[in-house]
Amino acid sequence: LTHLGWNRISVINTETDFTKDLAFEFGNLWKGDIAYFHTVRIDSDGAVDAGSLDLALDGVPTENPRLNSRVIVLLAHHQHAFPILQRARERNFQPDTIWVGTHSWTDRFFGDSTQWMPDIPGYIGIAQYRNRNSEYQDFLQRIQAKQRQLRPLTPVMEFLPDYAAETMVDSILSLAKALSSLQPKDRAETGHIVNALKNITFSGVSGPVSFTAEGDRANPQYMVMNFPTNTATEWVNVGVAGITPDTVDIDIRAICWASVGCNQATAPTDTYPVPPNAVPLWGTLLIVVISILFIIIALKYWRSRQKKTRLKANIDEMQKKDKCNAKY
């Protein structure tokens, strides 16, 4: 968000535990302005509550550009995000909105029909990084060889089905490497295993693997994805992002933006142009009254000057006549 120059955003999230926690953490971490925040209810059958969604869309300050933002961060699972996006389209809600997503719906399959989308949806977000290094290729080739051996008539997989498969492989490798670094007597001790994991570093199927002191993956990477048109069959990778500003690399020209188009040199702004302040009715009336008073005063002043000029002319004429009479 900050890499694209955005400082003011709105947030819409669903009321699942995952997205509520995500919204809470996002609100704590975001240093910019939040123009609007709303939670959409989920019905007992797991569907998005239509009334709550309409309330969320109605609440966005679209009529006040001073408060509004064209960037909306949508925190929802894909089964909820897609109906929200579709409803926004049906209502022609702020057509130039830039909908930003997390990996919970970004890079997910929309289904057989995307005709409900605008011509250029411009959805953008992050997804788990899909590594394609030599370790990945070697692991995939070994799986393919095993598939050909066991099922010679069945086509082999062309790629691993999901990032979870890659991270699962590296999770197993991490634990195996940690255990192998320990003495046999220490391999049943949780504390020794955790400390050994903190020292693990290797190039895995999912990319470089190492861990922070808290046990999180160190220096994680994410793909920046864009859904360009309603005829597209998949998301387009337009860059990568880490957890610090210097690890973000996005090809702006590769992104398609809603109501703007593709191949733009810069990202659209997060805010809308603010029109000049309109003069209130009482102000207009005051200006009219002052103008009338000014005209009246000016007219009186002009008449007074005219009167004085005529009076002076009469006095001069009389003085001339007096002089003439005095001669004779």
Side-chain angles (χ1 to χ4, degrees), residues 10 18-19 28 36 61 78 92 138 143 157 198 235 311 313:
S10 292
F18 167 75
T19 52
N28 287 335
Y36 178 72
H78 69 280
N92 196 34
D138 177 67
I143 288 182
M157 66 171 64
K198 293 177 182 178
W235 294 72
L311 181 61

Side-chain angles (χ1 to χ4, degrees), residues 273-292:
V274 177
N277 290 326
V279 178
L281 179 60
W282 64 266
T284 304
L285 294 175
L286 182 62
I287 292 174
V288 171
V289 170
I290 292 174
S291 300
I292 293 173

Side-chain angles (χ1 to χ4, degrees), residues 164-209:
E166 300 155 21
T167 54
M168 180 181 292
V169 172
D170 286 341
S171 296
I172 296 171
L173 286 174
S174 298
L175 186 57
K177 288 177 178 290
L179 290 172
S180 66
S181 69
L182 296 173
Q183 296 295 324
K185 63 182 179 62
D186 295 328
R187 291 174 184 171
E189 297 292 333
T190 303
H192 290 301
I193 297 172
V194 170
N195 289 331
L197 282 169
K198 293 177 182 178
N199 297 320
I200 290 296
T201 300
F202 67 97
S203 183
V205 176
S206 64
V209 178

Side-chain angles (χ1 to χ4, degrees), residues 226-242:
N226 177 233
F227 202 82
T229 67
N230 63 2
T231 58
T233 57
E234 59 184 21
W235 294 72
V236 176
N237 187 344
V238 295
V240 294

Side-chain angles (χ1 to χ4, degrees), residues 93-105:
F93 168 80
Q94 197 170 278
D96 62 346
T97 295
I98 303 170
W99 292 95
V100 180
T102 65
H103 70 277
S104 57
W105 66 271

